[in-house]
Amino acid sequence: MSEGTEEADIRRVRASRITLLCRGATAANRLARFSADEPLLPKEAGKAGRLARRLPAYAAVLHAPEIAARETAALFSARTVPCEALRDVDHGQWRGRSLEDIAGEDPSGLQHWMADPAAKPHGGESIEEARARCAAWLEEQHGAGGHRLAVTHALILKIVLAHVLRAPLSAVWRADVEPLGMMTLTSDGRRWALRFFGSPAGPEGDS
């Protein structure tokens, strides 16, 4: 490979960018429950549609397999691609239940889960296991080129943030991600860097 070709490949790789978007709100958000596979709340489609009109067109739109993520993604593109790696954390027996109920029924289990990323007292997926699959997926995205949108869930977005910043996974409990909040990452072909993290009202409208 010639030096000129190598430089061209480097420029192409450095153009790679991914925006992770938290899907719109569901009943679980309103009721402070662990998420389940639910549709968007009635007004969320309008909010997502207005956001889509403000943002640039994306080279591709990926989404987690859950209903709300699929519905959100459809407002950004008529052609969307399901991505299993973007699925929500499996909360096992806690799925669809409120934090208040779990805190009352199994306070030690809830405390253990929040203190130890490898813990899964609910019998589902640990935070560490979710980080491993998200990291593997992100590693595969180097060099894809263009700017792609990946619609996922709040906890997944925070796990990816901690991974990119090389922060301890306990950091996920110190970040808030609202429905339709977003994060943009850029790649130089070797590592991902944070470019933007915030709400729809932030400066993400640039291309």
Side-chain angles (χ1 to χ4, degrees):
M1 180 182 293
S2 69
E3 183 177 346
T5 301
E6 291 179 352
E7 290 178 355
D9 287 343
I10 290 173
R11 285 195 296 270
R12 177 178 57 80
V13 168
R14 286 179 176 171
S16 298
R17 188 181 302 180
I18 294 177
T19 290
L20 286 89
L21 175 71
C22 179
R23 49 91 177 137
T26 68
N29 295 112
R30 177 175 291 176
L31 300 174
R33 298 190 320 226
F34 283 95
S35 61
D37 197 359
E38 302 171 315
L40 295 174
L41 289 172
K43 294 183 179 180
E44 289 301 291
K47 293 179 182 178
R50 289 190 293 274
L51 177 61
R53 290 190 292 273
R54 286 174 42 205
L55 299 181
Y58 293 95
V61 176
L62 315 176
H63 64 82
E66 291 84 3
I67 295 170
R70 185 174 69 246
E71 291 180 342
T72 302
L75 297 165
F76 288 80
S77 174
R79 295 183 179 181
T80 63
V81 180
C83 180
E84 182 65 20
L86 295 172
R87 71 182 184 277
D88 203 0
V89 176
D90 178 4
H91 293 115
Q93 298 175 2
W94 295 354
R95 185 172 180 266
R97 301 187 61 191
S98 72
L99 282 168
E100 183 178 3
D101 287 345
I102 299 301
E105 179 180 299
D106 186 14
S108 62
L110 183 60
Q111 184 176 11
H112 185 203
W113 177 68
M114 296 186 71
D116 181 1
K120 44 183 177 181
H122 45 54
E125 181 181 33
S126 71
I127 301 297
E128 177 55 44
E129 288 171 336
R131 186 209 64 81
R133 67 166 158 92
C134 291
W137 170 78
L138 199 58
E139 188 67 21
E140 294 173 352
Q141 308 309 306
H142 287 302
H147 188 179
R148 288 165 297 150
L149 181 71
V151 182
T152 184
H153 304 269
L155 184 51
I156 294 298
L157 200 152
K158 293 192 290 183
I159 288 171
V160 172
L161 175 64
H163 171 72
V164 169
L165 296 182
R166 298 184 181 180
L169 282 174
S170 58
V172 301
W173 311 124
R174 298 184 179 184
D176 289 329
V177 176
E178 63 185 43
L180 302 179
M182 57 181 62
M183 171 174 69
T184 295
L185 306 174
T186 55
S187 168
D188 64 1
R190 298 167 300 171
R191 67 181 181 88
W192 289 96
L194 177 66
R195 183 174 185 273
F196 173 80
F197 178 78
S199 72
E204 172 55 22
D206 62 344
S207 59

